[in-house]
Amino acid sequence: MKTNEVPQDIGNLANASMKELCYAIDKKGKYTTKLSDGWKVKTLVLNKSLELIEERAQEFKNNFKKGRISPIPYFMEINRMDLTVLSGYMNKWKWVLKRHFKPLIFDKLSQKILQKYADTFNISVDNFKNCNNE
Amino acid sequence: MKIAFQHKQAAHCENGVISNLLIHNGYAISEPLAFGIGSGLFFVFLPFFKINLAPAISFRPMPGFIFKRLCKRLGIKIKHQKFKNTATAKTSLDALLQKKIPVGLQVGVYDLTYFPDAYRFHFNAHNLVVYEKKEDTYLISDPVMENVTTLTTKELEKVRFSKGTFAPKGHLYYPIKFPEALPLKKAILKGIKATCRDMLAPVPIVGVKGMRMVAKAIKKWPKKVGTKKTNHYLGQIVRMQEEIGTGGGGFRFIYGAFLQEASEILKLPELIKFSKEITEIGDLWRDFAIDASRLYKNRSSEFDGYTKVADKLLILANKEEDFFKRLKKTIAQYG
């Protein structure tokens, strides 16, 4: 990559504030560093990944409305969490959390556990129970 | 009197922190040097281990490895500390800052307030330096940021105790002992040798063999998991290759910069040739990224495009195999 090839595509607003350092070759063939405003290839891929998260979240929400699952998968998705991360914050085993995905078991959870979930997802207990992300 | 901490932006957080800490202590180790000596160039494919719903691929060794190997090869002693308790983690950090020792920290990215939202994922092996505390605010030198920033006590505690894979547990580190003179030449040779060994490893998931395995998998994915998932898988490869920290082209450009610097230090003009070659290989990686990302737009179910992308990866594997074999031979002559 030459210094004049360092991509300067100002992409999504989200990363406008951040410039990345790239290593590139100057006219004399020497390595130097140059800041990049972003690269459209990267922006595309990142946006597609975020779209997928959005899509999956919507699906979890629909399934919640149909009474098939608890709201937990929805909030995990919008917080970009996997079970390992959630298990760390909840201080519970993954299989315990997975059980909580079932509506019948979720309905029996204590106020204390619900509060812990709500705190983890940074949301009120009411909104959490109703799968409401406001 | 100690000099004030100098912030310098880097491509990769781990190398950036090491480089900044060493420079602060009076040892001019640039980011590419740190990367090369620590053998940062790597490739591994873990087909059964999923990250972001896609098979895991990494262009770097496990977090912390570059740092560990760099310090071992240069004979620098580092003090590492992890904590169970957030309060002790805080007092330990504050005590060090009181002594005006800049401290490296391992943190989670998700709650870093100064990061743009799109980059906030639960990645727990980010590194930064805290160099001062003013009342309730910590002054932060995050190597991927252009300028220094700040975090409040509460914010810092949150990122130091983020949860999930590689949870940092308050991990802090700082150099405590340096050798009289850094064995730079020896360390560079060792670093290059280890990279050649890694990339040519006789293990199917590592190095060029790993790249070939990915190429094979790409050809199978469209039939096996459908085009939508395949596109997502390819997208994740591109992300690992180009995301913040790689300096582009899956670290190949940083490595080119390293070989150029190494050739001057070792007085080996041959390495300049290698530096140019790896730069060209890096450009090819970027072409690969462009082609792979284009497939997102490919809505038809023709598999031709995937085969082409896979073949590109095979070419890259062949080129790198040849490259590292020759590099290994060249370096072997010098010890």
Side-chain angles (χ1 to χ4, degrees):
Chain A
M1 187 166 54
K2 302 203 173 70
T3 41
N4 56 6
E5 290 167 356
V6 172
Q8 304 294 352
D9 309 329
I10 297 184
N12 43 0
L13 273 178
N15 64 13
S17 59
M18 203 155 161
K19 286 184 183 180
E20 273 173 56
L21 191 85
C22 287
Y23 284 83
I25 295 176
D26 66 10
K27 281 178 196 150
K28 289 177 197 149
K30 278 255 172 198
Y31 257 101
T32 175
T33 58
K34 195 172 176 185
L35 289 178
S36 161
D37 273 326
W39 189 26
K40 54 178 190 261
V41 172
K42 268 164 73 170
T43 313
L44 173 82
V45 173
L46 184 62
N47 286 344
K48 287 283 177 186
S49 293
L50 296 177
E51 265 171 40
L52 184 79
I53 289 176
E54 194 57 42
E55 224 171 84
R56 280 170 54 92
Q58 210 49 53
E59 209 180 300
F60 288 135
K61 196 169 201 168
N62 290 341
N63 279 333
F64 166 78
K65 281 181 187 156
K66 287 176 191 154
R68 284 184 194 147
I69 50 166
S70 76
I72 300 168
Y74 170 76
F75 284 104
M76 277 174 69
E77 199 63 30
I78 61 168
N79 284 292
R80 302 172 188 172
M81 286 181 176
D82 59 15
L83 268 175
T84 316
V85 175
L86 186 65
S87 127
Y89 282 109
M90 288 297 294
N91 211 354
K92 286 202 180 313
W93 280 320
K94 290 189 205 174
W95 65 268
V96 176
L97 300 175
K98 264 193 191 163
R99 267 181 90 238
H100 296 172
F101 289 5
K102 295 178 184 162
L104 280 176
I105 289 163
F106 183 81
D107 288 342
K108 285 182 208 149
L109 289 182
S110 69
Q111 195 60 32
K112 206 176 131 200
I113 290 181
L114 287 176
Q115 188 62 52
K116 203 166 177 187
Y117 269 117
D119 290 344
T120 304
F121 296 132
N122 208 359
I123 203 161
S124 73
V125 174
D126 267 354
N127 280 345
F128 170 57
K129 270 162 69 184
N130 297 318
C131 205
N132 186 4
N133 179 36
E134 286 311 318
Chain B
M1 203 191 89
K2 279 244 170 182
I3 9 145
F5 188 76
Q6 291 280 324
H7 171 75
K8 199 173 167 224
Q9 193 181 3
H12 186 239
C13 67
E14 197 174 324
N15 311 312
V17 162
I18 314 166
S19 170
N20 283 343
L21 282 179
L22 292 185
I23 289 172
H24 178 77
N25 283 284
Y27 298 90
I29 302 289
S30 67
E31 182 191 10
L33 261 187
F35 179 76
I37 294 174
S39 305
L41 202 75
F42 195 61
F43 189 91
V44 64
F45 176 42
L46 302 167
F48 301 113
F49 188 74
K50 294 271 197 302
I51 294 183
N52 290 333
L53 310 166
I57 281 169
S58 181
F59 286 81
R60 51 173 283 180
M62 283 273 285
F65 269 40
I66 305 178
F67 193 18
K68 226 190 203 157
R69 287 192 283 213
L70 173 85
C71 294
K72 206 176 155 199
R73 285 171 192 160
L74 287 178
I76 297 166
K77 258 203 174 147
I78 304 285
K79 170 110 177 145
H80 291 271
Q81 268 182 295
K82 282 194 178 184
F83 303 90
K84 276 194 179 135
N85 178 307
T86 51
T88 22
K90 181 178 171 290
T91 40
S92 299
L93 175 65
D94 289 354
L96 287 166
L97 292 173
Q98 201 92 64
K99 286 187 229 159
K100 299 221 185 301
I101 298 173
V103 183
L105 291 181
Q106 183 193 338
V107 298
V109 169
Y110 191 75
D111 288 301
L112 279 180
T113 40
Y114 52 80
F115 255 35
D117 187 55
Y119 286 128
R120 291 175 54 224
F121 284 88
H122 290 278
F123 174 65
N124 283 328
H126 185 60
N127 292 277
L128 49 77
V129 175
V130 183
Y131 61 95
E132 214 181 312
K133 188 185 183 188
K134 277 184 183 159
E135 282 156 35
D136 193 34
T137 319
Y138 289 91
L139 307 189
I140 308 280
S141 150
D142 187 322
V144 305
M145 301 298 286
E146 211 177 334
N147 299 307
V148 291
T149 80
T150 57
L151 285 173
T152 63
T153 306
K154 220 175 158 189
E155 286 165 349
L156 190 67
E157 184 186 305
K158 206 163 183 193
V159 294
R160 286 183 78 191
F161 284 91
S162 58
K163 301 285 163 54
T165 316
F166 304 131
K169 301 194 177 92
H171 184 187
L172 66 77
Y173 51 86
Y174 52 96
I176 45 170
K177 209 176 150 198
F178 293 89
E180 269 173 32
L182 294 185
L184 203 51
K185 287 182 185 175
K186 220 173 116 195
I188 291 174
L189 289 172
K190 249 191 182 164
I192 297 178
K193 264 191 212 161
T195 300
C196 292
R197 196 180 53 225
D198 286 348
M199 293 305 284
L200 300 170
V203 185
I205 55 167
V206 173
V208 291
K209 284 213 157 77
M211 287 157 64
R212 291 200 180 108
M213 197 171 170
V214 174
K216 232 189 215 166
I218 293 175
K219 285 184 188 171
K220 278 188 203 154
W221 283 338
K223 275 184 206 137
K224 216 169 135 194
V225 297
T227 44
K228 196 183 165 194
K229 265 197 179 166
T230 306
N231 288 347
H232 175 67
Y233 288 1
L234 282 173
Q236 296 311 307
I237 300 180
V238 173
R239 278 184 64 197
M240 293 314 280
Q241 179 195 323
E242 297 294 332
E243 264 306 83
I244 280 198
T246 63
F251 295 106
R252 266 65 187 169
F253 299 126
I254 302 188
Y255 207 69
F258 160 66
L259 288 176
Q260 197 174 72
E261 229 180 305
S263 100
E264 280 162 27
I265 295 170
L266 297 172
K267 304 208 170 50
L268 286 181
E270 292 120 291
L271 286 184
I272 293 278
K273 209 182 79 209
F274 284 105
S275 164
K276 278 193 183 126
E277 270 182 58
I278 196 80
T279 310
E280 279 160 27
I281 290 174
D283 288 334
L284 283 180
W285 274 104
R286 286 178 84 89
D287 286 345
F288 167 78
I290 295 172
D291 289 352
S293 73
R294 269 199 195 125
L295 290 170
Y296 269 121
K297 287 169 194 158
N298 174 12
R299 277 171 208 286
S300 64
S301 52
E302 51 161 308
F303 298 150
D304 208 31
Y306 298 102
T307 317
K308 266 188 202 155
V309 168
D311 286 341
K312 226 169 194 169
L313 193 56
L314 279 180
I315 293 172
L316 275 166
N318 292 341
K319 281 200 182 245
E320 294 205 344
E321 184 173 26
D322 173 56
F323 174 86
F324 285 110
K325 272 187 175 161
R326 279 184 293 118
L327 183 61
K328 193 178 168 185
K329 251 189 189 162
T330 310
I331 287 299
Q333 297 167 19
Y334 300 97

